[in-house]
């Protein structure tokens, strides 16, 4: 099943695929970041992956990675739904990382992209409302990057960084 | 020389001699109304303490008010994060005197298991706390024990020295 | 002569401290009269930095932290984490451990659905009486958890490799008695609540979620199945020993608040069916594989998921060969389910927002992590 999908992808978008890692435990394909939107539309409409489970950001020493996990939902019987397909996108630029958004293709990506922006600082171009949702604008640093050391703050230290009301 | 006032035996069922302090404190401590301020996991144990097995209504604290203007006990149950800390301070200032605070659970006492960038390490950085209840989460019986200790603390206060009846600014 | 009314929109803040927001959740509502025009959710009031904390702790030390994610159902969080770590490291737990995990997970599912129904009725205005009924039965289930693991709420019991210790003597007959009691309690709640006139008028047709919108927004769990889509991780990607039990996946067609309540009641009864079969079939044997304290899985990434009571809960783990996870990402059920809140409340009144939020059944510990 996954072999056919990889074949379809290789025929349709030969220049978008960077590599297909063999030893990965879930079927994975790495796509170039400029063509993530076309590949996503193809996978959603032609192949039938209509459920984006989550998006995760990973901070490796040489690059950022953003991982998308896709499934299908709604087929009868339930076990005939298409299994996990992991799409990875490498973001090489670590000073100004950015990536096109998929929040209009899969609306569940709207909140997940806000979360990745809050934790890593990766900007999603074309996102309608990109803001920090867990911490506030003005919090010093991007928490889940590896160069942000995990320390505790006191109330007085964070006092000057808070935004003035009203804020959300 | 203080004389002891003797009540004649036929009136002993109708007349009671006590001090103003004792009466005032008894009325206040038997009807402490908590504010519904459950933040995280300890809130579920607080609700379990007010459910039917560990009844908190026996101690007078059954009416949980949602508005801080009508409550006089704030049970900080759960983790106080940096984003929530100004709101905790604001709610504390909105409560009228006399008010008391119980810090329930390890997260409210000292940040608990979460020594991370987003958690306030102890709610006593911002508000004064009367009773600390350790545990993660503390059993409902531990919360009832804390309430009894607070009631004993209220019994020791005197109307001559309480801060809300002073003339000078506290 | 008709006079056109001049109206103005107001912005109302249902702030973090509110009796019916199920934790510290803040919504900024834009109202026109009583009708909602826009809703902006504000998260982060319980953000504790769990993902960053777990990167500094070993795989076994992260089990108590996963307990505190969805704090009402602690056993299923640990189950999801154990499934993910076992997939990464290639461990297979023994049979008895799998059956014990299924028993604990199904009791947790019943506990969660009881509390969800109780709190939904608390939001509707039946102040606290259904909650007290639910908490009375919850105490019986928590007695069983405390007997097996030592703690009521945060048991730290299901670990990668098996479970922490064997069940005590007399656990299984006591559990069977509790299952019989819970059948009667489910029927009792059904009699009280399902045909209630006030509930029907307030909940029928409110907060309707169409199935295509639900799939597009990634909603899972009882909210999805009440909209008519039949999807359950226990059938889609079977884990543990769920393929040996005989149970159904109920769905309901309408997708409003009433259907979500009814579906939770139906799932409760299916969980009782699974429990009866598991308590009969449980074999003897060891309860844990020999897993080293400092587990060093091979390099790689994996995503392990289960069907938690609120939906699909999963952990995405990246390992670099050392004894601490490199990236510990949680796929939170309630966070993704809350993305659909704005779609289904536009056009309703303020009083309906409260019950729609109650019917989605969130826990802020999972939304904010």
């Amino acid at each position: 099943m996954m072999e056919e999908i990889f074949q379809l992808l290789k025929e349709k978008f030969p220049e978008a695929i960077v590599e297909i890692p063999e030893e990965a435990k879930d079927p994975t394909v790495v796509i170039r970041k400029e063509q993530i939107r076309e590949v996503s539309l193809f996978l959603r409409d032609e192949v039938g992956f209509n459920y984006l489970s989550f998006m995760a950001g990973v901070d490796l020493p040489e690059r950022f990675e953003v991982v998308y996990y896709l499934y299908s939902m709604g087929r009868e019987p339930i076990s005939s739904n298409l299994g996990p397909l992991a799409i990875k996108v490498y973001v090489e630029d670590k000073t100004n990382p950015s990536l096109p958004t998929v929040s209009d293709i899969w609306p569940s990506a709207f909140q997940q992209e806000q979360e990745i922006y809050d934790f890593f600082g990766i900007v999603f171009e074309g996102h309608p409302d990109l803001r920090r949702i867990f911490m506030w604008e003005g919090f010093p640093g991007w928490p889940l990057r590896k160069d942000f050391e995990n320390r505790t703050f006191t109330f007085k230290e964070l006092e000057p960084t808070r935004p003035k009301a009203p804020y959300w | 020389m203080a004389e002891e006032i003797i009540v004649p035996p036929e009136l002993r069922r109708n007349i009671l001699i006590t001090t103003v302090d004792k009466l005032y404190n008894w009325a206040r401590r038997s009807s402490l109304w908590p504010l519904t301020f459950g933040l995280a996991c300890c809130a579920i144990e607080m609700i379990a303490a007010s459910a039917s097995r560990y009844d908190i209504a026996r101690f007078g604290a059954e009416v949980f008010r949602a508005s801080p203007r009508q409550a006089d006990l704030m049970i900080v149950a759960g983790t106080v994060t940096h984003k929530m800390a100004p709101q905790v301070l604001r709610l504390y200032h909105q409560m009228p005197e006399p008010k008391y605070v119980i810090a329930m659970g390890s997260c409210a006492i000292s940040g608990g298991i979460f020594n991370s960038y987003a958690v306030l390490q102890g709610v006593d950085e911002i508000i004064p706390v009367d009773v600390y209840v350790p545990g993660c989460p503390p059993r409902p019986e531990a919360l009832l024990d804390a309430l009894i200790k607070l009631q004993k603390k209220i019994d020791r206060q005197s109307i001559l020295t309480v801060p809300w009846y002073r003339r000078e600014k506290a | 002569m008709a006079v056109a009314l001049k109206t103005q929109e107001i912005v109302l803040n249902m702030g973090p401290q509110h009796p019916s927001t199920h934790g510290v959740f803040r919504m900024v509502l834009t109202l026109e009269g009583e009708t909602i025009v826009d809703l902006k959710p504000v998260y982060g009031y319980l953000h504790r930095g769990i993902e960053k904390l777990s990167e500094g702790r070993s795989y076994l030390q992260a089990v108590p932290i996963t307990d505190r994610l969805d704090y009402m159902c602690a056993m299923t969080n640990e189950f999801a984490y154990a499934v993910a770590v076992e997939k990464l490291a290639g461990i297979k737990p023994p049979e008895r451990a799998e059956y014990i995990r299924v028993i604990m997970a199904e009791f947790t599912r019943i506990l969660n659905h009881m509390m969800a129904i109780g709190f939904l009725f608390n939001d509707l205005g039946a102040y606290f009486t259904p909650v007290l009924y639910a908490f009375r039965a919850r105490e019986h289930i928590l007695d069983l958890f405390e007997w097996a693991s030592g703690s009521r709420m945060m048991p730290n019991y299901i670990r990668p490799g098996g479970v922490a210790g064997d069940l005590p003597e007399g656990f299984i007959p006591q559990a069977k008695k509790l299952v019989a009691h819970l059948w009667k309690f489910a029927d009792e709640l059904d009699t009280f609540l399902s045909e209630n006139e006030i509930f029907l008028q307030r909940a029928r047709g409110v907060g309707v979620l169409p199935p295509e919108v639900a799939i597009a927004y990634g909603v899972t769990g009882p909210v999805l199945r009440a909209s008519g889509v039949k999807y359950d991780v226990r059938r889609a990607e079977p884990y543990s020993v769920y393929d040996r039990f005989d149970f159904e996946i109920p769905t309901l067609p309408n997708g409003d608040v009433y259907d979500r309540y009814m579906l939770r009641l139906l799932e409760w009864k299916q969980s009782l069916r699974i429990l009866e079969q598991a308590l009969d079939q449980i074999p003897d044997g060891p309860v844990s594989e020999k897993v080293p304290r400092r587990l060093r899985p091979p390099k790689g990434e994996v995503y392990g998921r289960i069907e938690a009571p609120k939906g699909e809960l999963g952990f995405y783990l990246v390992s670099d060969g050392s004894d601490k996870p490199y990236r510990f990402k949680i796929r939170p059920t309630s966070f993704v389910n809350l993305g659909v809140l704005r779609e289904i409340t536009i056009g309703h009144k303020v009083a309906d927002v409260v019950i729609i939020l109650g019917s989605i059944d969130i826990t802020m510990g999972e939304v904010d992590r």
Side-chain angles (χ1 to χ4, degrees):
Chain A
M1 170 91 74
M2 279 300 143
E3 297 303 320
E4 298 153 9
I5 298 182
F6 287 157
Q7 256 332 93
L8 272 175
L9 276 176
K10 276 191 216 164
E11 286 162 19
K12 200 87 202 284
F13 301 99
E15 74 287 353
I17 299 187
V18 173
E19 58 169 326
I20 298 187
E22 290 294 321
E23 68 283 351
K25 293 197 164 61
D26 299 318
T28 314
V29 59
V30 184
I31 304 280
R32 228 175 275 287
K33 76 171 190 184
E34 291 82 14
Q35 297 180 286
I36 184 70
R37 288 184 61 92
E38 288 125 28
V39 176
S40 307
L41 273 169
F42 171 69
L43 284 171
R44 185 189 71 168
D45 297 327
E46 316 278 329
V47 186
F49 284 106
N50 50 0
Y51 167 44
L52 171 71
S53 183
F54 69 98
M55 289 167 58
V58 186
D59 181 11
L60 295 171
E62 64 271 9
R63 56 175 189 249
F64 285 122
E65 280 183 9
V66 177
V67 183
Y68 304 68
Y69 261 77
L70 299 172
Y71 294 84
S72 79
M73 201 197 267
R75 302 193 180 185
E76 293 277 333
I78 301 185
S79 46
S80 74
N81 278 307
L82 301 172
L85 174 63
I87 299 194
K88 274 200 199 188
V89 176
Y90 292 162
V91 182
E92 306 285 342
D93 185 3
K94 277 192 110 166
T95 46
N96 287 327
S98 77
L99 190 36
T101 180
V102 292
S103 57
D104 47 345
I105 305 177
W106 290 295
S108 63
F110 186 85
Q111 283 187 312
Q112 313 258 11
E113 290 181 350
Q114 285 177 329
E115 174 193 334
I116 296 182
Y117 171 66
D118 191 359
F119 285 155
F120 291 94
I122 300 179
V123 174
F124 286 88
E125 302 147 1
H127 194 278
D129 185 18
L130 197 67
R131 56 191 161 92
R132 298 188 75 157
I133 51 175
F134 290 133
M135 306 312 289
W136 54 88
E137 307 281 348
F139 183 79
W142 307 105
L144 247 65
R145 288 195 185 180
K146 290 289 175 184
D147 46 12
F148 184 97
E149 55 145 333
N150 191 13
R151 50 166 293 222
T152 60
F153 292 94
T154 61
F155 187 69
K156 286 198 161 34
E157 271 178 358
L158 287 182
E159 186 76 44
T161 64
R162 287 183 193 271
K164 305 284 171 270
Y167 60 89
W168 42 67
Chain B
M1 186 184 73
E3 273 182 22
E4 178 150 343
I5 306 176
I6 313 272
V7 180
E10 60 269 11
L11 290 175
R12 229 164 246 174
R13 283 198 182 171
N14 298 1
I15 297 187
L16 177 74
I17 312 276
T18 180
T19 63
V20 173
D21 266 345
K22 274 207 185 132
L23 193 62
Y24 180 69
N25 289 341
W26 171 75
R28 278 192 308 129
R29 71 143 161 94
S30 313
S31 67
L32 281 171
W33 286 2
L35 174 68
T36 60
F37 199 53
L39 295 167
C41 347
C42 285
I44 309 287
E45 290 293 56
M46 188 169 72
I47 300 178
S50 68
S52 46
R53 195 188 260 199
Y54 310 102
D55 201 5
I56 207 174
R58 320 177 252 174
F59 302 100
E62 77 177 304
V63 187
F64 276 75
R65 308 304 290 186
S67 158
R69 310 256 181 215
Q70 298 165 359
D72 45 11
L73 168 66
M74 180 158 145
I75 306 183
V76 181
T79 320
V80 184
T81 59
H82 280 296
K83 197 163 179 182
M84 189 69 190
Q87 330 296 348
V88 174
L89 196 54
R90 202 167 174 184
L91 282 170
Y92 180 73
H93 285 311
Q94 282 181 346
M95 282 166 68
E97 293 272 3
K99 55 191 173 192
Y100 302 95
V101 176
I102 294 183
M104 177 179 177
S106 310
C107 292
I109 298 178
S110 70
I113 197 177
F114 301 107
N115 54 341
S116 77
Y117 57 91
V119 171
L120 188 70
Q121 305 288 304
V123 81
D124 49 7
E125 273 190 37
I126 46 178
I127 57 181
V129 174
D130 290 304
V131 183
Y132 297 86
V133 192
C136 191
R139 287 190 63 114
E141 293 125 329
L143 180 63
L144 294 176
D145 186 31
L147 191 62
I148 295 175
K149 280 198 165 60
L150 181 65
Q151 288 181 344
K152 289 192 184 147
K153 180 175 178 174
I154 296 179
D155 272 339
R156 290 196 298 260
Q157 290 181 321
S158 161
I159 204 170
L160 294 171
T161 52
V162 282
W164 51 90
Y165 282 145
R166 293 254 173 102
R167 283 181 195 237
E168 68 273 1
K169 283 202 169 151
Chain C
M1 184 173 82
V3 175
L5 271 181
K6 184 160 160 283
T7 57
Q8 193 186 17
E9 292 178 352
I10 62 169
V11 174
L12 182 73
N13 178 39
M14 279 180 81
Q17 192 259 346
H18 189 96
S20 60
T21 50
H22 292 265
V24 279
F25 178 51
R26 176 175 168 203
M27 292 186 276
V28 180
L29 307 169
T30 311
L31 301 172
E32 171 138 7
E34 277 264 329
T35 323
I36 296 190
V37 169
D38 192 14
L39 184 149
K40 239 185 175 142
V42 186
Y43 307 109
Y45 288 98
L46 197 58
H47 175 64
R48 302 180 264 199
I50 286 185
E51 297 188 359
K52 184 87 182 178
L53 260 186
S54 311
E55 289 175 9
R57 295 164 81 100
S58 72
Y59 284 92
L60 188 61
Q61 284 176 324
V63 176
I65 295 199
T66 59
D67 265 343
R68 281 136 178 101
L69 273 177
D70 177 2
Y71 36 82
M72 300 219 283
C73 337
M75 290 275 193
T76 43
N77 297 352
E78 299 173 350
F79 196 178
Y81 180 63
V83 163
V85 174
E86 284 161 8
K87 201 169 161 186
L88 183 64
I91 312 173
K92 183 137 176 32
E95 289 271 312
R96 188 171 165 92
E98 298 274 28
Y99 274 88
I100 294 179
R101 285 178 178 183
V102 167
I103 291 172
M104 295 300 178
E106 293 305 317
F107 268 125
T108 311
R109 196 181 309 269
I110 296 174
L111 189 111
N112 175 282
H113 287 326
M114 261 186 334
M115 301 233 284
I117 294 177
F119 282 121
L120 171 65
F121 278 85
N122 190 18
D123 289 340
L124 273 166
Y127 177 64
F128 232 56
T129 307
V131 177
L132 288 178
Y133 271 77
F135 268 77
R136 186 181 63 177
R138 177 183 179 254
E139 295 287 338
H140 295 307
I141 300 183
L142 285 186
D143 277 343
L144 279 183
F145 283 171
E146 190 179 1
W147 202 9
S149 73
S151 157
R152 283 155 53 104
M153 260 175 80
M154 310 294 176
N156 198 1
Y157 186 59
I158 299 181
R159 307 198 178 164
V163 286
D166 203 350
L167 297 174
E169 287 286 326
F171 186 91
I172 308 238
Q174 194 72 20
K176 288 187 181 168
K177 268 197 257 177
L178 182 60
V179 168
H181 171 74
L182 285 171
W183 273 112
K184 284 197 301 217
F185 183 51
D187 289 330
E188 191 183 44
L189 274 188
D190 201 3
T191 325
F192 281 150
L193 302 173
S194 299
E195 307 280 323
N196 191 330
E197 183 81 30
I198 302 179
F199 180 43
L200 281 172
Q201 293 236 345
R202 275 201 73 179
R204 267 268 173 247
V206 169
V208 178
L209 179 63
E212 311 82 35
V213 175
I215 298 179
Y217 274 85
V219 175
T220 50
V223 185
L224 176 73
R225 292 195 279 274
S227 294
V229 181
K230 199 163 177 166
Y231 187 78
D232 190 322
V233 181
R234 293 177 283 183
R235 288 272 156 87
E237 198 176 317
Y239 55 96
S240 189
V241 288
Y242 275 103
D243 41 6
R244 299 189 199 174
F245 300 122
D246 171 35
F247 62 100
E248 294 170 6
I249 310 284
T251 56
L252 289 173
N254 288 332
D256 52 9
V257 172
Y258 187 81
D259 272 358
R260 289 179 214 135
Y261 148 79
M262 199 64 199
L263 191 94
R264 291 197 169 102
L265 212 52
L266 291 173
E267 275 197 8
W268 176 346
K269 296 186 178 164
Q270 294 300 318
S271 283
L272 286 170
R273 268 177 78 178
I274 300 179
L275 269 175
E276 284 171 351
Q277 294 167 46
L279 286 167
D280 281 331
Q281 292 175 18
I282 182 169
D284 289 321
V287 285
S288 174
E289 282 288 319
K290 272 224 143 306
V291 170
R293 283 226 174 143
R294 296 254 155 198
L295 176 66
R296 279 168 214 272
K299 272 179 93 138
E301 305 85 45
V302 82
Y303 175 55
R305 59 180 188 153
I306 68 158
E307 179 79 19
K310 298 184 158 82
E312 171 188 325
L313 173 69
F315 284 83
Y316 176 68
L317 296 170
V318 176
S319 150
D320 59 349
S322 73
D323 59 347
K324 301 186 169 37
Y326 189 79
R327 174 79 170 104
F328 183 99
K329 155 92 184 148
I330 306 163
R331 190 262 184 218
T333 334
S334 311
F335 183 57
V336 181
N337 281 1
L338 262 191
V340 84
L341 184 69
R342 188 180 173 276
E343 286 291 313
I344 59 179
T345 49
I346 297 232
H348 286 97
K349 309 248 182 326
V350 177
D352 294 333
V353 173
V354 172
I355 56 176
I356 294 175
L357 188 63
S359 73
I360 298 184
D361 187 26
I362 56 169
T363 306
M364 286 318 282
E366 215 175 21
V367 174
D368 285 338
R369 278 158 281 147

